[in-house]
């Protein structure tokens, strides 16, 4: 028979160990194989996989959309940059054009335009004095004095006008500069069209009331247009006419050139006479009206043929100087003075020409070039 005893209380360590044992038993019990719980776990895993897959798909789609948006943004920015670049190129081109225009208006070009305007004005003022012609010694002297302000030293003081041939007067009306071709920094060839009016006393027959014939003297006016080539020399002291005005008949794209001539003078008298005869025949054709087609037979290159076609009449041949080219046998440089007459006014004037000739058999020549005489500037 057991004795009545009070139940012994567990110590704190014993109490803690007992609780641990109970928890361990419970956990072990939960880990035991249970079919229902296994199926539940498998279903839960399938749901989790579906959720994970969907979440993965959503992230992929979002990533794709994000990439599309990013690429689109890059394209838009690139297009904007290209558009801005292209716009800048257009602006650059416009700036270049404006810059070019500004350069055209630069002081250098303005100075050039001012020079051309000055040359034009000088030439027109010269033609005013040159074509204003009146008979009489006093008028001739006054004209000579006026021309000295324009003509270079050494040129004819009357600028080639033969006062012995003057029977009337000529008045300058107006002029228009056709072109200015600058040969170098000092020399310019000015083509100018001059309008003049000639006044000449003519006799007109008439009958009085009684039927008797009477002669009356009246002044008859006629207008004329003449083209001249004037060579101007420019330096720091101003402008000068360095050659007598040369009449010419304008034609499309005409270019006038001259060159210095330093060949030795030819001493063969027979050749000199043949050249003179050839040039006389040429100038008769060169000045004749309606014979411009015939002048091509005098030129080696018919495209270079020239003609005054009745603008001036041939009067006579003056001095003829022949120079033989040492480098080209049978070629000659010829300088000559020719007196021409204006058919309307009857005024005669002297003009100097320079030819380059090619001998083509005995007594036969061909014109290579025809130019105004060029003088050496000192």
């Amino acid at each position: 028979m057991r004795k009545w005893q009070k139940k012994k209380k567990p110590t704190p360590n014993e109490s803690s160990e007992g609780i641990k044992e109970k928890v361990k038993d419970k956990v072990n019990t939960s880990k035991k194989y249970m079919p229902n719980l296994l199926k539940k776990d498998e279903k839960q895993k399938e749901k989790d996989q579906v959720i994970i897959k969907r979440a993965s798909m959503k992230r992929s789609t979002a990533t794709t959309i994000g990439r599309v948006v990013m690429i689109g943004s890059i394209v838009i920015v690139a297009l904007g940059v290209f558009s801005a670049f292209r716009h800048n190129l257009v602006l650059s081109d416009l700036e270049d054009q404006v810059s070019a225009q500004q350069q055209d208006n630069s002081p250098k070009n303005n100075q050039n335009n001012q020079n051309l305007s000055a040359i034009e004005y000088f030439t027109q003022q010269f033609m005013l004095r040159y074509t204003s012609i009146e008979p009489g010694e006093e008028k001739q002297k006054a004209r000579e004095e006026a021309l000295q302000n324009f003509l270079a030293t050494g040129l004819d003081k009357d600028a080639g006008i033969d006062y012995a041939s003057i029977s009337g007067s000529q008045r300058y009306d107006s002029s228009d500069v056709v072109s200015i071709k600058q040969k170098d920094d000092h020399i310019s060839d000015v083509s100018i069209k001059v309008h003049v009016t000639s006044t000449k006393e003519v006799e007109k027959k008439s009958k009085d009331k009684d039927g008797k014939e009477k002669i009356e003297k009246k002044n008859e006016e006629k207008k004329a247009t003449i083209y001249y080539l004037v060579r101007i020399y420019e330096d720091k002291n101003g402008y000068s006419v360095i050659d007598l005005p040369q009449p010419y008949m304008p034609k499309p794209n005409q270019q006038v050139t001259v060159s210095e001539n330093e060949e030795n003078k030819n001493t063969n008298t027979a050749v000199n006479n043949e050249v003179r005869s050839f040039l006389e025949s040429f100038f008769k054709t060169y000045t004749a009206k309606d014979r411009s087609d015939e002048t091509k037979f005098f030129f080696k290159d018919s495209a270079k043929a020239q003609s005054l076609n009745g603008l001036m009449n041939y009067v006579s041949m003056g001095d003829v100087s022949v120079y033989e080219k040492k480098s080209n046998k049978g070629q000659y440089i010829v300088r000559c003075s020719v007196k021409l007459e204006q058919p309307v006014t009857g005024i005669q004037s002297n003009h100097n020409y320079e030819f380059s000739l090619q001998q083509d058999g005995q007594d036969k020549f061909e014109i290579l070039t025809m130019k105004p005489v060029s003088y050496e500037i000192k």
Side-chain angles (χ1 to χ4, degrees):
M1 181 176 186
R2 288 186 301 176
K3 293 181 178 180
W4 176 260
Q5 294 178 350
K6 289 184 181 179
K7 200 171 185 179
K8 191 178 180 181
K9 294 182 181 179
T11 62
N13 290 335
E14 291 176 351
S15 177
S16 175
E17 289 176 359
I19 294 171
K20 289 181 179 180
E21 290 294 333
K22 290 179 182 181
V23 173
K24 185 176 181 180
D25 293 339
K26 190 174 180 180
V27 171
N28 290 333
T29 304
S30 64
K31 288 184 177 180
K32 292 180 179 179
Y33 173 76
M34 294 181 183
N36 292 333
L37 292 176
L38 182 59
K39 290 181 180 180
K40 186 177 180 180
D41 289 342
E42 290 178 351
K43 289 181 179 180
Q44 186 63 38
K45 288 181 180 180
E46 290 178 358
K47 289 181 180 181
D48 292 342
Q49 290 178 357
V50 171
I51 292 171
I52 292 171
K53 186 176 181 181
R54 288 179 178 176
S56 178
M57 290 178 65
K58 288 180 180 177
R59 285 196 297 271
S60 179
T61 303
T63 302
T64 303
I65 294 173
R67 289 179 178 175
V68 170
V69 172
M70 183 177 66
I71 293 173
S73 301
I74 293 173
V75 171
I76 292 173
V77 172
L79 290 174
V81 172
F82 175 75
S83 178
F85 180 71
R86 183 180 179 185
H87 180 66
N88 289 336
L89 285 178
V90 173
L91 289 178
S92 179
D93 290 341
L94 290 175
E95 289 175 356
D96 291 342
Q97 293 177 10
V98 172
S99 177
Q101 292 177 356
Q102 290 175 347
Q103 289 177 1
D104 289 340
N105 295 325
S106 63
K108 181 179 180 180
N109 289 320
N110 287 337
Q111 181 66 28
N112 186 51
N113 292 334
Q114 290 174 3
N115 287 348
L116 293 178
S117 298
I119 292 173
E120 180 175 346
Y121 177 78
F122 175 83
T123 307
Q124 289 179 319
Q125 292 301 307
F126 166 69
M127 294 310 297
L128 167 62
R129 276 75 176 180
Y130 175 75
T131 58
S132 298
I133 304 171
E134 295 183 78
E137 291 185 4
E138 291 185 2
K139 297 292 183 180
Q140 180 181 2
K141 185 176 181 180
R143 179 176 176 274
E144 288 176 359
E145 292 177 354
L147 286 174
Q148 297 315 302
N149 295 324
F150 298 87
L151 298 175
T153 303
L155 290 180
D156 179 25
K157 59 184 179 180
D158 287 320
I161 297 299
D162 182 8
Y163 263 85
S165 66
I166 297 175
S167 58
S169 64
Q170 178 176 274
R171 183 183 71 244
Y172 169 93
D173 293 331
S174 63
S175 62
D176 299 295
V177 173
V178 178
S179 67
I180 299 177
K181 293 183 174 62
Q182 293 182 296
K183 311 304 295 182
D184 54 33
D185 293 338
H186 297 285
I187 299 177
S188 298
D189 284 343
V190 182
S191 299
I192 186 169
K193 177 172 66 174
V194 185
H195 305 279
V196 297
T197 299
S198 67
T199 302
K200 191 174 182 179
E201 188 178 66
V202 295
E203 294 181 351
K204 290 190 175 182
K205 296 180 180 180
S206 61
K207 292 183 180 181
D208 56 17
K209 296 180 180 179
D210 299 331
K212 293 182 178 180
E213 187 178 88
K214 63 178 182 178
I215 298 176
E216 294 180 341
K217 293 184 177 181
K218 293 183 178 182
N219 289 330
E220 184 180 62
E221 288 190 353
K222 290 184 178 181
K223 294 185 177 297
T225 300
I226 311 169
Y227 291 86
Y228 288 103
L229 174 68
V230 184
R231 175 155 288 182
I232 306 297
Y233 178 79
E234 172 190 1
D235 62 12
K236 63 181 180 180
N237 297 321
Y239 302 92
S240 297
V241 177
I242 59 173
D243 192 9
L244 300 180
Q246 305 292 339
Y248 77 97
M249 180 63 71
K251 59 183 180 180
N253 300 323
Q254 182 183 13
Q255 295 183 350
V256 181
T257 58
V258 296
S259 60
E260 293 294 334
N261 174 28
E262 297 180 355
E263 280 77 9
N264 294 326
K265 196 168 184 178
N266 183 53
T267 57
N268 190 322
T269 305
V271 171
N272 293 344
N273 291 337
E274 292 171 1
V275 169
R276 184 182 187 90
S277 178
F278 170 79
L279 291 179
E280 287 177 345
S281 299
F282 166 72
F283 274 104
K284 290 177 182 178
T285 306
Y286 172 69
T287 57
K289 188 175 180 60
D290 299 328
R291 293 185 64 184
S292 57
D293 290 341
E294 298 180 26
T295 59
K296 64 183 180 183
F297 298 111
F298 291 86
F299 287 81
K300 185 175 182 63
D301 184 358
S302 59
K304 296 182 179 180
Q306 304 177 34
S307 172
L308 290 181
N309 196 23
L311 183 67
M312 303 285 280
N313 293 331
Y314 170 77
V315 179
S316 62
M317 178 72 66
D319 294 334
V320 177
S321 299
V322 181
Y323 303 84
E324 184 177 3
K325 284 188 175 182
K326 297 293 184 179
S327 57
N328 296 306
K329 190 175 182 179
Q331 289 189 7
Y332 301 91
I333 296 296
V334 181
R335 290 179 178 179
C336 64
S337 174
V338 181
K339 180 175 287 189
L340 304 177
E341 180 186 65
Q342 297 178 16
V344 176
T345 64
I347 296 175
Q348 297 179 0
S349 55
N350 295 313
H351 306 278
N352 299 323
Y353 292 92
E354 181 176 290
F355 293 86
S356 177
L357 302 182
Q358 170 72 57
Q359 190 169 16
D360 185 22
Q362 190 175 1
D363 300 335
K364 292 182 180 180
F365 296 90
E366 291 179 319
I367 299 174
L368 302 178
T369 60
M370 175 183 177
K371 312 170 184 178
V373 169
S374 177
Y375 294 99
E376 183 180 359
I377 306 301
K378 296 182 179 180

